[in-house]
Amino acid sequence: MTSIGEALVAQLAERGVKCVFGIPGVHTIELYRGLATSKIRHVTPRHEQGAGFMADGYARVTGKPGAAFVITGPGVTNTLTAMAQARADSVPMLVVSGVNTVPSLGKGLGHLHELPDQRAMVRNVALVSERVERAEDLGPVLDSAFRPFHSGRPGPTHIEIPLDVVGQEGASAHAIADVKIPVPDPDLITQASEMLARAKAPVILTGGGARHASQAIVELAERIGAPVVQTTNARGVAFDHPLGVPVSPSLKAVRELIETADVVLAVGTEFGQTDYDMYATGTQPSMASLIRVDRCAEQLARHPADLAIKGDAVLAMAALVKAQTRPEPADDGEARATRTRGAAFEEIGPEMRSLSGILDAIRDAAPNAIMVGDSAQPIYAGNLYYDHDRPGGWFNAATGFGALGYGIPAAIGAAIGDASARIICITGDGGAQFSLPELMCAVDEKLPITFVVWNNHGYQEIATSMQSVNVEVVGCDPSPPLFEAVAKSCSMPFWKCAPDPELIAAAIKSASGETGPTLIEIEAPNLAHPTHRASS
């Protein structure tokens, strides 16, 4: 007979799960009984938050749900931050946890890892949180947990299995529920195509949901003469293209482009504040005629459009290309894109322009790499203005939920998701200290990741924000470790250089010659703001 824990692992494998990130504990041992005999790879992070971020990075690269096994109580609470980041960025993630025995739940008996109501807590973050209490529950619970990954807006889901249930025998095979990818309505595609055919100044807005439809988006843009604005998670959709606008739509120059368009096609973008109003003006660009393509009905309802098309972006864009009958593109599309890029580059200021140039140098030194970022000065600059050479190859936690400590573990997940890719992780000295122990996971797994630490000895962005509103700078100068010593302790090759594009590019090229993880420290100008320290 097969136990519930063994059957769960077997059914995860049937659903395409190839890797699980997790730290074994007494509340998940029975899951590991099945894992030990399966073909699913297990990766051990150093913290459950790292497990969640690794699952996030894995999912973004593969397009398949990242999976994590965590213990009851602190394992779950440690993973919640990563789940919230995944929810903000529509990343498919499955978290499987233990929970205390069924008779003890909600009783406050002081059991190990006890929470008053673990599922109720997780439900505030996860799209779905289910419990398996009988062998016959397992298949339907898995169907429920996997359903959001294929229809609607993806995000994190959760399954918990009580300690007195996971080892029970009697679990049987389960016919996986049919997955229906949302297909766009042909009549709506025809209407959208006609609107775009008549447009004199069309614009295309792309979000993270559009990154797998890049070829069709570029083809449609060329047919109708539309600049393609790419939010952070859409960078690379139109790399180095005359119609490409790899710039934040929060900038005035991009807002002007959008507001002067007579038809706007928005594909896979939720119009979130961190993309469209990062300066918190309380406004978003006005649009004369908006067509939205999104797989989630709730998202379409939150930001109403003149024409809303519910459907998968890849299918919708292919259909729009096929339906398009426009004989000639708008004759000023490239000119509008060029003007916007130029105005936006001036708008971001000299410091951000310099940092954007450093990113260009890194990209050119490691072509087709996946760049994963934490909240750090170069990442802020890149989210404002940066063109990446790979669709879906630029992502970070400086938008959406904005969790620090994301970069290092997410890069590990990305490297496991695509073993052929070079991974560049860009983090600040502050953010790196949230998840430095995960470097050893990269060492254990022998992953080709170059960790780049932008070391300015503090929280530059926060200090600047404090000063801008006349608040004395407090708590923004945590001392960084000696990163060379960190690298040595992890047996990782190390380079240190000034924030010069040529020097950084040379270090990246050298690091790319290594087969395992490497560390580069960039000696950025130190945090210049005076910081308050209480006298002893």
Side-chain angles (χ1 to χ4, degrees), residues 48 70-81 83 95-99 115 118-119 121-122 158 160:
E48 289 92 355
V70 300
I71 64 165
T72 312
V76 175
T77 56
N78 285 342
T79 312
L80 277 177
T81 294
M83 295 175 72
V95 175
V96 180
S97 78
V99 73
L115 284 167
Q118 182 171 276
R119 268 182 82 201
M121 178 188 68
V122 177
H158 170 246
E160 66 178 21

Side-chain angles (χ1 to χ4, degrees), residues 174-446:
H174 172 75
I176 299 172
D178 289 337
V179 173
K180 294 183 179 180
I181 298 174
V183 178
D185 185 326
D187 291 337
L188 297 179
I189 291 292
T190 298
Q191 292 180 48
S193 183
E194 291 173 351
M195 291 171 67
L196 293 169
R198 294 192 299 267
K200 295 181 179 179
V203 165
I204 298 175
L205 306 179
T206 55
R211 63 189 183 278
H212 299 300
S214 59
Q215 185 175 344
I217 289 169
V218 169
E219 186 175 349
L220 181 65
E222 291 173 344
R223 293 274 295 275
I224 66 176
V228 181
V229 177
Q230 298 145 71
T231 63
T232 294
N233 288 323
R235 297 297 168 83
V237 162
F239 172 64
D240 198 28
H241 195 285
L243 289 168
V245 183
V247 185
S248 169
S250 292
L251 294 173
K252 292 178 182 178
V254 185
R255 283 193 168 205
E256 182 177 348
L257 173 72
I258 296 169
E259 290 178 343
T260 55
D262 56 349
V263 177
V264 175
L265 171 63
V267 185
T269 180
E270 66 175 1
F271 291 100
Q273 188 250 359
T274 54
D275 278 320
Y276 289 86
D277 187 28
M278 65 175 294
Y279 298 111
T281 65
T283 64
Q284 294 208 1
S286 59
M287 286 163 266
S289 187
L290 174 62
I291 304 167
R292 286 196 71 186
V293 174
D294 202 288
R295 60 191 293 177
C296 178
E298 291 180 0
Q299 282 297 326
L300 291 171
R302 285 190 187 113
H303 192 106
D306 298 277
L307 182 62
I309 303 174
K310 181 178 181 292
D312 178 77
V314 174
L315 297 179
M317 293 310 300
L320 280 172
V321 168
K322 186 176 181 180
Q324 187 52 238
T325 59
R326 184 172 185 144
E328 298 289 339
D331 57 11
D332 66 342
E334 291 187 9
R336 287 185 293 135
T338 300
R339 283 198 304 271
T340 302
R341 290 194 302 269
F345 197 59
E346 286 299 311
E347 186 180 335
I348 64 175
E351 182 181 357
M352 291 297 170
R353 287 197 294 269
S354 174
L355 291 168
S356 181
I358 286 174
L359 294 173
D360 289 342
I362 294 174
R363 177 199 63 214
D364 296 343
N368 206 38
I370 296 172
M371 287 197 202
V372 183
D374 218 317
S375 292
Q377 293 299 310
I379 298 300
Y380 298 140
N383 287 350
L384 285 175
Y385 193 116
Y386 169 66
D387 198 7
H388 196 59
D389 61 353
R390 175 181 181 140
W394 168 268
F395 58 87
N396 55 77
T399 64
F401 196 58
L404 271 171
Y406 172 87
I408 292 174
I412 291 170
I416 290 169
D418 187 346
S420 67
R422 190 74 201 180
I423 311 295
I424 310 290
C425 171
I426 302 175
T427 181
D429 58 294
Q433 291 183 76
F434 277 58
S435 50
L436 269 182
E438 304 298 356
L439 291 176
M440 282 308 299
C441 179
V443 173
D444 286 348
E445 301 295 328
K446 300 179 176 60

